[in-house]
Amino acid sequence: MSGSKLKPVQAVTAVGCSLTIVSEDKRMRWLIAPDSFKGSLAAREVAEAMARGIRRAEPSADCRLCPMADGGEGTLDALHATLGGEWHRASVHDAEGRPCEAEWLLLPHGVAVVEVARVVGLPDVGPASVHERDTRGVGELIRACLDAGARHIAVGLGGSSTNDGGAGCLVGLGVRLLDREGQTLAPLPDQLGRVAALDLSGLDARLEVTKLELWSDVDNPLLGPRGATAVFGPQKGVAPDAVARLDAAIARFAAAADHAFGQPCAELPGSGAAGGLGYALHLLGGRCHSGATALAELSGLSDAIAQVDWVLTGEGCSDGQTLAGKAPARVAELARAAGVPVSLLSGAVLPDAEGQLAAHFDGCFSLCSRPMTLEAAIQQAAPLLEQAAEQLARLVLAGRRGP
């Protein structure tokens, strides 16, 4: 993994047989590593707003920006802002089967990154119900990466509008779904209960020599009470009385898919991510990784943290779920390991009665300083972030000066 290239901020002086660290200046050194504020600001824009606020408190502050993500919406933008890379565009189909253009990113060290939310994301859905959406476009985008020569592909799984068990993705890569009569079926959720077999003869052979990674912040299996449909389906429009029926249909598809690929994958952690897309990628040989951990490693976050005095992270809304693989939790974990204080500044910080969230940060702060609607908070996110970051920085600076 490539690390960040940061200029040294300390001088090392030899004293006898030991080394003494001498600071070059007394400026406060900050590492700003937030996730995006979904529906409002990209992670880079959040980091820039935080830096502007900090510099109001201390104009000479050294602010280093490292936008973060966890594999969901904003992953490509965060990677590009930190590492650069080459943008590519491909013609694929969206969740409702409409032609669309989708971007993917080739990182400097050769990893191709696909963001599912850019193909079948929730903000892009039209009038069709979840039963009429599939992930074929994701498979098409993976094939576009293969066509460009990529043999190491990472797929960020967050933010999907689909619940097709990944059947569409397999079809986009050349698989055929067959009923009992051998007729081809569409990879739509309502058709999955009719799947009797999979024809793999058209599956893209290049996948056999391709390293496939799944980036996710969830470890749910495909089926059952913790599965894709039961947990995430209602968020995408699956009616309560349809959950069991759709779960059974996906289970039938999975039985045929497991048989065709010769391996059971429905219980693997992360198989339930992105409406079961994680399951399909497991069938193809993919391995699941924490999205936040992957981005932290790629951006050299540990090394960057070791060079600063304070770390600031955040996201649109924080609660107990933040600790379940979200980017701010990974940032906090690395800061704690390095012995560097870390604070959380989010759009909203929900009640944390047991103190689990607070225990991971040196202060949890919300940018909403007065009663306001969600729409107003979204529209004013940047100036509100600047104001909150300034006040946080003033508090930190006061503590450093002492009484």
Side-chain angles (χ1 to χ4, degrees):
M1 297 290 184
S2 63
S4 60
K5 298 179 180 179
L6 298 174
K7 295 181 179 179
V9 296
Q10 296 176 323
V12 182
T13 305
V15 180
C17 296
S18 62
L19 292 178
T20 301
I21 305 300
V22 181
S23 297
E24 290 183 345
D25 56 50
K26 296 182 179 180
R27 294 183 302 162
M28 185 79 178
R29 298 165 301 175
W30 295 80
L31 179 71
I32 306 174
D35 200 345
S36 64
F37 280 31
K38 292 179 176 57
S40 179
L41 299 173
R44 175 185 56 80
E45 295 171 318
V46 174
E48 289 171 348
M50 289 178 170
R52 288 193 297 269
I54 289 171
R55 291 192 177 109
R56 287 182 186 174
E58 185 185 21
S60 63
D62 180 358
C63 296
R64 299 152 186 226
L65 312 188
C66 186
M68 287 291 293
D70 55 23
E73 180 183 346
T75 293
L76 295 188
D77 288 335
L79 283 170
H80 188 260
T82 305
L83 299 175
E86 182 181 337
W87 288 106
H88 291 257
R89 183 180 292 269
S91 297
V92 300
H93 291 85
D94 69 9
E96 298 178 12
R98 300 168 299 196
C100 69
E101 295 289 314
E103 289 182 314
W104 58 276
L105 182 65
L106 182 63
L107 296 179
H109 60 291
V111 178
V113 187
V114 170
E115 184 181 308
V116 167
R118 287 181 176 245
V119 187
V120 295
L122 277 167
D124 302 319
V125 297
S129 76
V130 66
H131 303 283
E132 300 172 285
R133 304 177 203 142
D134 65 60
T135 53
R136 178 164 54 121
V138 177
E140 294 170 338
L141 194 56
I142 292 173
R143 180 167 278 184
C145 296
L146 295 172
D147 289 344
R151 294 298 180 266
H152 185 174
I153 301 173
V155 183
L157 292 176
S160 79
S161 65
T162 51
N163 199 97
D164 69 345
C169 179
L170 295 178
V171 169
L173 288 165
V175 174
R176 292 173 62 221
L177 310 181
L178 306 176
D179 65 12
R180 289 183 177 180
E181 286 72 42
Q183 298 300 308
T184 300
L185 295 169
L188 298 174
D190 281 350
Q191 297 292 309
L192 298 182
R194 298 174 54 201
V195 174
L198 275 68
D199 177 5
L200 307 186
S201 61
L203 180 63
D204 198 312
R206 294 172 294 183
L207 291 166
E208 296 182 5
V209 293
T210 300
K211 181 179 180 180
L212 196 59
E213 294 183 20
L214 293 62
W215 291 353
S216 176
D217 64 351
V218 302
D219 61 358
N220 301 67
L222 177 64
L223 305 167
R226 290 192 63 249
T229 307
V231 176
F232 307 111
Q235 303 170 12
K236 305 174 183 183
V238 179
D241 60 357
V243 168
R245 183 173 68 254
L246 181 52
D247 196 50
I250 293 176
R252 181 177 176 85
F253 156 71
D258 283 351
H259 178 75
F261 281 90
Q263 55 182 335
C265 292
E267 293 299 319
L268 292 178
S271 288
L277 180 57
Y279 166 71
L281 297 175
H282 274 304
L283 289 172
L284 297 171
R287 293 295 177 264
C288 197
H289 302 273
S290 159
T293 298
L295 265 74
E297 292 177 354
L298 285 166
S299 62
L301 189 61
S302 292
D303 291 339
I305 287 174
Q307 299 182 46
V308 300
D309 303 306
W310 207 283
V311 177
L312 184 56
T313 185
E315 59 187 339
C317 182
S318 298
D319 58 17
Q321 291 301 310
T322 294
L323 304 179
K326 300 292 186 181
R330 182 56 178 160
V331 173
E333 182 180 353
L334 293 175
R336 289 288 191 226
V340 178
V342 54
S343 295
L344 178 75
L345 174 53
S346 295
V349 179
L350 301 186
D352 180 31
E354 297 181 359
Q356 295 180 347
L357 185 65
H360 287 73
F361 297 94
D362 298 289
C364 298
F365 304 87
S366 169
L367 63 83
C368 296
S369 58
R370 63 185 185 279
M372 63 176 59
T373 64
L374 176 60
E375 292 74 16
I378 289 174
Q379 292 173 359
Q380 301 173 39
L384 289 170
L385 272 167
E386 291 179 31
Q387 176 179 299
E390 176 188 358
Q391 299 311 312
L392 171 60
R394 290 188 183 281
L395 182 63
V396 170
L397 288 167
R400 285 170 61 86
R401 287 193 297 266

